[in-house]
Amino acid sequence: MKKYLFIILLTSLANIILGQNSIENKDVLKVEVLKPAVSEWKAVKYELFEVGMILPDRISILVNQFLSKRSPNLLPLEGLNPFDPDDISVEATFFPPGYPENEVSTIYGFFYKDYETIETPLTYHYWKEIETTFPWRVRFSPDKPGEWSVGITVVTRDETVKSETYRFICADSGGKGFLEVNKNNNRYLEYADTKEDFFAIGMNVAFPGYPAGCFGSDSKKMDEHRKYISALGETKANFCRLVLGPKTYNFEWEELGNYDAPFTLSNKTSPKIEKVGRLALAWEFDKSMNTIEKSELNTIICFEIHFPFMYFNPYYPDDPYRWINNPYKAIPGVTEVADFFTNPEAIKIYQYKLRYFFARWGYSPYFTGFEFLSEMEFTGGKIIDGKKYYPYHESEEFRAILTEWYAGMTRYLRDELHVKQLLSSSYSFIPHENDRSNSYFDFVSMHRYGKLQAINSTHRKNEINKYLSRWDKPFIFGETGMPDEAARINKCMDNSFSNDIWAMAMMGGFGTGLYWWWSYVIDQNYHWLFNPLADFFEAVDMENNNFTVRHGGKDYETDPRIEYLALTDSAGKAAIGWVHNYQVYWNNLYNQYEYCIDENNLKDLFTESQVPEITAGGVLFLEGLKPGSKYSMKWFNTRNGKWKKQFCKTNSNASGTLRIRVPKLGNNTEVQSPPTEYGFIIELIK
C-alpha cells in the first residue's frame, strides 16, 4: 500500500513541476474550433473552417524563446522558429466523407498573433500585440458536405505529438468552388464545382497608400484600402487584383525566415515608436481577405513587387526596400539578384515563405490566382554608366535562370502544397521570344499602359494576338490605364477607363483588362460603369459559344472615325463586340472638361487636338460566321445599360461575312445623346 501511495505522490509532484493539474493538462495538444463558430464542430462547404491549437508547454516555451531573442549573439538554433518547418511543423489531416474512396487533404498550420490598432501622435497609426489564446491555426474550406474527421500532428526537431481524431459535419452551400481553366475552352475559366463559365470584370485595388513621411502602410491606410475593395464589391464587378510587398502586407524583410521580425514605419520627421512584429501586417491581410470574401470578388494576388529584386527604384530613389537590403543576401553565396533564383538555401527558405502564405490564405475560393512577381523582367535591374540595365532583356542565361526557378516553384506549389489557385507571373512587355516561363503557368498576364488614340484597336489588339499565338491558355491584361503622370486626367473624365474596360473585354482574354488607377476610379464614382459591362456579359452565351476568333480595327471603307473590336465563335454561331467613335479620345475632350482640367492644372497633358464629330453611322464587315445564314443583332448602350428597342436581322454572304450597319455615334461623353459607343451581340437564328 505504501508503494502505491509513493507512486501517486510522485506523479502529483511531477504534475506540479510540469504545471499540470486535473483541470487543464498543459503537456498535451489542445484543439478548438474557432470558425465558423467557436467550439462548434460544424462547417459549411467552401467556407472557412478554422481550428486553433495550444501546443504542449515544453514546445511553446521553445517557440517563445526564438521569438523573444533580440541579441545577434544568440545561436541560430536557440529555440524553435515557428516559421521554419524544419524546426516545427503543424499538419492537419482531413478525412472526407466517403474515405478512402475520396482523397485526404493535408493542410499545414501556421503561427498566429492578435493585434489591435492604436493611434499615435505621429503621422501614422500603429499596432499593439494583444493576448492570443490559440497561437497556432489551421484554415480549411471543405469541398464536400457530410461527415469529416481531422487529426493534428506536431513535428519538432526532437519529437512528434498527435491529437485525437475530431469529427465534424459540413453543411452544403451555394458555393461554386475554386476557379479553374475551362475544360472545353482553355482560353476562359469556369468554376470547378458547377462548371459555370466565368468572365472576369474588375480592376486592380492593388495596395494601401502610405502616410506622409513613411515608406510603408499603417493601419489607417489599410482600412482605407479595404474601403476601396468594398466599394468595388458594391458594383456588379466580380474580380480584382492585389499586389503585396514589404511596404504593405508582406511579412518577411528585416530578418530572413522570421515573419515576426520587429519593424517600424520609416518616418523621417518624427521619433520612432516601439517596434512591432511583421505578423501585424499578416493580421491586417486577414481583414483584407475577409473584405474580399464578403465582397465576393475573385482575386489575383501578386506576391512580390519587383523593386526588392532591383538595385534601384526609379520612382523612389531612397526606398529602403531594394536589393541592397533584401534579407536573402544574408545567405552565404547570395550577393547578386541571380543568386536568389539559383542558391539552394535561398530556394528552400523562399518555399517555406510560400508555405506560410498558402497555409494562412490558400483556403479561400475567392483567392483565384497567384502571381509570383509583378513585371518580372525588371528583376536584377541596375544602373550601369548612367544607363538602366535589365538582365532579362540582355542575358539568355538570366532568362533561363528565371524559367528554371518558376518551373521549380510551380512544382512545389502543385506537388507539395497541392494549392488550388491558378499560377502565373506578370510581364510589363511582351516576353522575349526565348522566354519559356509561361509554359509552366496556368494563365498569362501582361501589363499595358498607354495614352495613344489607337491604344486599343491597334496596339493592345496586336499584342494579345502575339501572346495567344504563342500560348494557348487564358490571358489577361493584369494592369492597364493611362501611364504615370497622364493618369491625372482621370480626375476629370472617365474616357480612358470606360474605353479600356470595354475594348479589352473584346480581345479574347478571360476578362476585361484590370485598370490600375483604382483611387481615381472609385473616388470619381467611375466604378459604377462596371454594372453595364456585367449586364452585357450576363446576356452573352459563354457556355455554348467558343469566342476565340479576334477581330478589330477601324471602318476604313465607310467611316474611319469608327473603331471596333469583336470576337466570333469558332464555329461561326455568334459574335460579340464593341464599336466606338474613334474621335472621342481623352486628348480631344478638352473643351468638354475645360473647367475641371484648368482647376486641376492638367492642361499640360494636352497636345493639339480636334473636336469630335457625330458620325452618321457606318458599315462593318465581320468575317468568320456561317455562310448564307440569318443572324439577329442587338445593340447595347454601354452607359445606361439598356438595349436598343429595335433588334435587327441580317444575313451573312456566301463566304460567311456579315455586313453590320453601325448606329449613329455621338461626340459628347457627358450628354451621351447619341451614345459615343455601343456593345453588340450577334446570334445565329436557327
Side-chain angles (χ1 to χ4, degrees):
M1 182 68 177
K2 291 181 180 180
K3 179 179 178 181
Y4 292 119
L5 287 173
F6 175 76
I7 293 174
I8 293 171
L9 180 62
L10 188 62
T11 303
S12 300
L13 181 61
N15 286 343
I16 293 171
I17 293 172
L18 293 173
Q20 298 174 347
N21 54 54
S22 58
I23 299 175
E24 181 180 1
N25 187 343
K26 294 186 178 181
D27 206 40
V28 298
L29 177 62
K30 183 178 180 181
V31 180
E32 186 65 271
V33 175
L34 303 180
K35 293 179 182 178
V38 175
S39 301
E40 292 188 16
W41 286 88
K42 296 178 181 179
V44 179
K45 181 181 174 183
Y46 288 128
E47 294 184 11
L48 173 60
F49 180 71
E50 183 168 345
V51 175
M53 289 146 288
I54 302 175
L55 272 52
D57 265 12
R58 62 185 183 278
I59 298 176
S60 298
I61 288 170
L62 292 173
V63 170
N64 291 332
Q65 185 177 353
F66 172 87
L67 294 172
S68 62
K69 71 183 178 71
R70 289 292 179 265
S71 170
N73 298 321
L74 288 176
L75 295 175
L77 293 179
E78 189 162 350
L80 293 176
N81 181 353
F83 314 112
D84 183 351
D86 292 337
D87 275 9
I88 179 170
S89 178
V90 174
E91 304 168 13
T93 304
F94 286 88
F95 297 87
Y99 174 79
E101 286 77 13
N102 295 320
E103 294 184 359
V104 301
S105 298
T106 299
I107 305 297
Y108 293 115
F110 62 92
F111 186 76
Y112 174 90
K113 284 188 176 183
D114 251 331
Y115 298 86
E116 63 182 8
T117 57
I118 57 172
E119 295 186 9
T120 77
L122 308 180
T123 60
Y124 52 84
H125 293 180
Y126 217 60
W127 300 272
K128 178 183 178 182
E129 184 182 337
I130 59 176
E131 183 180 356
T132 304
T133 304
F134 294 95
W136 289 88
R137 309 286 176 96
V138 166
R139 290 176 176 170
F140 181 60
S141 56
D143 60 357
K144 295 177 178 63
E147 184 179 83
W148 289 71
S149 61
V150 59
I152 310 294
T153 303
V154 180
V155 181
T156 74
R157 293 196 303 260
D158 302 316
E159 64 175 313
T160 298
V161 179
K162 292 189 176 184
S163 75
E164 62 180 275
T165 299
Y166 301 89
R167 288 178 171 78
F168 64 95
I169 300 297
C170 176
D172 207 347
S173 73
K176 302 174 183 179
F178 287 80
L179 284 172
E180 62 182 13
V181 177
N182 192 306
K183 297 294 190 301
N184 298 317
N185 182 353
N186 60 355
R187 296 284 178 82
Y188 293 96
L189 305 181
E190 66 181 4
Y191 286 102
D193 236 27
T194 63
K195 305 305 176 186
E196 178 184 327
D197 292 284
F198 177 84
F199 189 79
I201 296 173
M203 65 179 178
N204 282 273
V205 191
F207 43 68
Y210 318 128
C214 292
F215 278 119
S217 302
D218 70 336
S219 59
K220 185 176 181 181
K221 289 295 183 181
M222 290 178 173
D223 282 340
E224 291 176 4
H225 182 231
R226 286 185 279 272
K227 289 178 182 178
Y228 281 123
I229 296 172
S230 296
L232 179 62
E234 290 171 1
T235 72
K236 295 181 181 180
N238 59 16
F239 208 78
C240 72
R241 176 175 177 267
L242 272 62
V243 180
L244 311 190
K247 293 182 181 181
T248 57
Y249 297 115
N250 213 315
F251 44 78
E252 182 187 47
W253 187 261
E254 284 73 19
E255 182 182 336
L256 182 67
N258 181 4
Y259 310 148
D260 199 38
F263 79 105
T264 57
L265 298 174
S266 178
N267 191 294
K268 298 179 179 179
T269 58
S270 302
K272 295 179 179 179
I273 63 175
E274 184 179 351
K275 293 184 178 182
V276 68
R278 274 194 173 258
L279 281 185
L281 305 179
W283 177 78
E284 289 283 0
F285 196 61
D286 283 341
K287 294 196 289 183
S288 296
M289 279 299 299
N290 183 255
T291 302
I292 286 168
E293 291 169 347
K294 287 182 177 179
S295 301
E296 298 185 350
L297 292 170
N298 292 279
T299 303
I300 291 174
I301 297 176
C302 181
F303 194 47
E304 302 277 5
I305 200 163
H306 45 281
F307 298 122
F309 301 93
M310 293 174 60
Y311 295 86
F312 73 102
N313 184 327
Y315 299 101
Y316 306 103
D318 297 329
D319 187 355
Y321 299 113
R322 292 170 289 148
W323 178 249
I324 190 173
N325 297 319
N326 195 301
Y328 284 82
K329 290 185 68 180
I331 299 172
V334 178
T335 56
E336 302 293 324
V337 172
D339 300 329
F340 167 81
F341 296 104
T342 57
N343 183 281
E345 186 68 10
I347 289 172
K348 184 183 79 168
I349 294 174
Y350 196 77
Q351 286 176 338
Y352 291 166
K353 181 179 179 179
L354 292 174
R355 171 174 153 160
Y356 184 90
F357 182 81
F358 279 94
R360 191 154 183 165
W361 297 291
Y363 72 89
S364 178
Y366 288 102
F367 175 11
T368 296
F370 177 83
E371 291 181 354
F372 289 95
L373 272 166
S374 174
E375 301 184 350
M376 55 181 279
E377 68 268 45
F378 290 133
T379 55
K382 60 177 65 175
I383 303 293
I384 299 178
D385 297 329
K387 296 182 179 179
K388 297 175 182 178
Y389 170 81
Y390 298 103
Y392 175 88
H393 298 294
E394 308 295 336
S395 169
E396 178 64 30
E397 180 184 5
F398 189 81
R399 289 191 294 272
I401 286 172
L402 279 179
T403 297
E404 183 60 29
W405 186 82
Y406 282 125
M409 288 299 170
T410 54
R411 282 195 300 268
Y412 174 74
L413 292 182
R414 291 182 179 124
D415 298 343
E416 297 294 326
L417 301 188
H418 304 289
V419 304
K420 297 180 180 179
Q421 283 72 23
L422 301 169
L423 305 180
S424 187
S425 202
S426 68
Y427 294 83
S428 180
F429 305 103
I430 295 176
H432 192 280
E433 60 183 7
N434 295 329
D435 183 355
R436 298 291 179 263
S437 298
N438 275 320
S439 302
Y440 298 98
F441 300 149
D442 298 306
F443 68 96
V444 182
S445 175
M446 184 184 123
H447 303 168
R448 187 59 163 94
Y449 295 83
K451 60 180 181 178
L452 299 176
Q453 191 169 9
I455 184 64
N456 286 313
S457 59
T458 301
H459 302 291
R460 287 174 176 146
K461 181 199 70 172
N462 293 340
E463 287 159 357
I464 195 171
N465 287 343
K466 291 179 181 178
Y467 259 97
L468 295 178
S469 64
R470 284 184 66 182
W471 295 286
D472 188 19
K473 56 181 60 180
F475 171 91
I476 195 165
F477 281 108
E479 292 180 20
T480 71
M482 298 283 278
D484 296 331
E485 282 299 304
R488 294 180 294 149
I489 200 62
N490 287 297
K491 290 182 179 180
C492 294
M493 64 179 76
D494 61 26
N495 177 260
S496 166
F497 172 66
S498 177
N499 286 358
D500 278 6
I501 63 173
W502 273 93
M504 283 185 278
M506 306 298 173
M507 291 186 188
F510 70 81
T512 186
L514 304 180
Y515 205 78
W516 177 257
W517 307 107
W518 65 92
S519 59
Y520 286 128
V521 169
I522 294 174
D523 289 347
Q524 303 299 326
N525 281 318
Y526 302 158
H527 57 307
W528 293 105
L529 291 174
F530 283 122
N531 288 356
L533 183 62
D535 289 341
F536 176 86
F537 273 92
E538 187 68 27
V540 175
D541 186 358
M542 299 291 288
E543 181 178 356
N544 296 307
N545 291 292
N546 187 18
F547 291 110
T548 56
V549 184
R550 301 173 301 282
H551 311 268
K554 291 199 291 183
D555 174 15
Y556 290 104
E557 292 194 21
T558 59
D559 193 338
R561 297 173 300 176
I562 298 174
E563 66 175 338
Y564 76 101
L565 288 150
L567 297 167
T568 54
D569 167 56
S570 57
K573 298 180 295 181
I576 58 175
W578 171 77
V579 294
H580 174 249
N581 186 336
Y582 186 68
Q583 307 164 98
V584 180
Y585 150 67
W586 70 271
N587 192 57
N588 290 342
L589 303 179
Y590 177 82
N591 291 339
Q592 291 184 34
Y593 298 95
E594 182 176 1
Y595 176 80
C596 179
I597 291 166
D598 291 346
E599 186 178 47
N600 287 281
N601 298 314
L602 302 177
K603 193 172 182 179
D604 61 299
L605 299 176
F606 289 79
T607 59
E608 185 177 348
S609 61
Q610 66 181 85
V611 177
E613 299 175 340
I614 296 175
T615 72
V619 175
L620 300 180
F621 295 91
L622 195 61
E623 301 175 345
L625 298 166
K626 286 184 174 294
S629 300
K630 182 177 291 187
Y631 290 86
S632 65
M633 182 153 196
K634 300 185 290 185
W635 293 99
F636 182 81
N637 188 318
T638 63
R639 293 291 176 148
N640 64 20
K642 296 180 179 180
W643 297 92
K644 283 179 70 70
K645 292 182 179 180
Q646 293 182 339
F647 295 169
C648 58
K649 298 178 181 179
T650 183
N651 295 325
S652 60
N653 64 19
S655 63
T657 298
L658 200 64
R659 186 176 183 273
I660 302 170
R661 179 159 296 280
V662 179
K664 183 186 296 185
L665 297 176
N667 63 344
N668 190 304
T669 58
E670 288 191 300
V671 176
Q672 290 290 336
S673 181
T676 58
E677 58 188 307
Y678 280 100
F680 64 81
I681 296 178
I682 297 170
E683 294 176 312
L684 180 68
I685 299 175
K686 298 179 181 179

